[in-house]
Amino acid sequence: MLGKVFLGRRRLLAATAAAALAAPAVARAQQVLRSSKASYSLRMLTLDLEQPWGMAFLPDGRLLITERPGRLRIFANGRLERAPVGGLPKVYARGQGGLLDICLHPDFARNSVLYLTYSGEGEGGAATVLARAEFRNNALVGVQRIFEALPRTSGGLHFGSRIVFDRAGLLYVTCGERYQMQRAQNLADLGGKAVRLRDDGSVPPDNPFVGREGARPEIFSYGHRNPQGMAMHPGTGRIWLVEHGPRGGDELNLLKAGANYGWPRATHGIDYSGSTISPNKSLPGMEDPVRVWVPSISPSGLAFYTGDRFPGWKGSIFTGALSDNALFRIELDGDRYVGEERLLVDLLPYIRDVRQGPDGLLYIVTHTDSGGLYRLEPA
């Protein structure tokens, strides 16, 4: 009997989620597009977002979308709600800074807790901040800063920043090196790192640098430049990320505890001036990327596809390519890169994030002043 009740509830939740995501009749579907393993169409859901950055689906199917200037919006029942979510913290919305990623607590259905990353200001400048809050009645309640990528510094570049939970309920956050490359190699500095935290912001005792003199215990890995996409592999549970190189040298990386990913001592890129940053593409004791892009594609957002609506895409990783005006589909064999293809080439500008919805479809946002929310559908 309990099994029947549970299955009925699950079907009801799935139906509710699908209804919440249903697009209005005015949404436009383009022509049939083809990839090597699927035919699909692109449907525009709204163009009323301002520089959207991150997305998270609520259990009822509503979609939360961050806007870099500092607003959190709700897309529900096929429309973008006019009023933004209340209770947002003040953000440092300059350059690349502002309201960035959003992630639900694994037990959100019970505790209503979610997490935001944003650039926050304080003495000395700004830094990537992780905040925890409850989402109640379309507002954030009890917002708390639980992590800050210190030290703060001036400028508006390279904040990171994505949020992912692993299967153990631990929280990973990526922190850019704030366009100060040597910070990435300094273990006393949280810039240019991926950090791992408990859900309250405290440090897990098995983090790789706990107890090491001169090292921040929050650090999980280092030598990163500006990681703007992160996702957990649905089969292995391991964490993957994509990060921006300079001119060339964008990377797909598999996170390993305590690993050094090289920046700026080892890189496939050059400086924007054309000068050499490092003569080394690889160094002993440093982790080589799984995939390198030269020239740069500026990868942003990362999602593993696990749905049934696109069977040929199952197990693929998707990332937006800001400077390539495309959506990349990447195939893996275990931890090994196999190949990739470019989708939506030159159809959309600046794909900032990609997420799989509860309906098994892919959702993307474009980072423009008239930012769009789009959905990929089978055709």
Side-chain angles (χ1 to χ4, degrees), residues 31 35 132 194 248 300:
Q31 75 271 21
S35 77
R132 171 185 165 122
S300 186

Side-chain angles (χ1 to χ4, degrees), residues 273-288:
S273 67
S275 63
T276 299
I277 295 171
S278 171
N280 304 303
K281 292 182 172 61
S282 180
L283 285 171
M286 296 188 180
E287 196 69 25
D288 290 331

Side-chain angles (χ1 to χ4, degrees), residues 249-254 261 268 281 287-292:
D250 295 346
E251 297 180 0
L252 171 67
N253 283 310
L254 174 59
Y261 289 81
H268 289 254
K281 292 182 172 61
E287 196 69 25
D288 290 331
V290 175
R291 166 72 164 119
V292 178

Side-chain angles (χ1 to χ4, degrees), residues 184 187 192-196 208-209 218-224 241 255-261:
L187 290 174
K193 312 298 189 297
V195 303
R196 185 174 70 157
F209 297 103
E218 301 96 330
I219 296 171
F220 188 77
S221 60
Y222 65 110
H224 300 289
L241 63 75
L255 282 193
K256 299 179 182 179
N260 181 354
Y261 289 81

Side-chain angles (χ1 to χ4, degrees), residues 129-152:
V129 172
L130 173 70
R132 171 185 165 122
E134 292 185 24
F135 180 71
R136 299 191 182 278
N137 300 319
N138 291 351
L140 299 187
V141 179
V143 178
Q144 294 177 297
R145 283 193 183 196
I146 61 172
F147 168 80
E148 192 170 359
L150 298 173
R152 303 184 191 100

Side-chain angles (χ1 to χ4, degrees), residues 294-348:
V294 178
S296 291
I297 65 167
S298 308
S300 186
L302 197 68
F304 282 91
Y305 184 72
T306 62
D308 297 321
R309 303 294 299 275
F310 297 103
W313 290 354
K314 204 159 190 174
S316 298
I317 313 178
F318 288 83
T319 186
L322 293 167
S323 61
D324 203 60
N325 288 337
L327 179 70
F328 274 61
R329 184 182 73 86
I330 302 165
E331 292 189 1
L332 300 175
D333 180 6
D335 295 341
R336 186 176 63 86
Y337 169 86
V338 174
E340 65 191 38
E341 64 176 341
R342 296 162 68 224
L343 311 179
L344 305 175
V345 178
D346 293 331
L347 292 179
L348 296 176

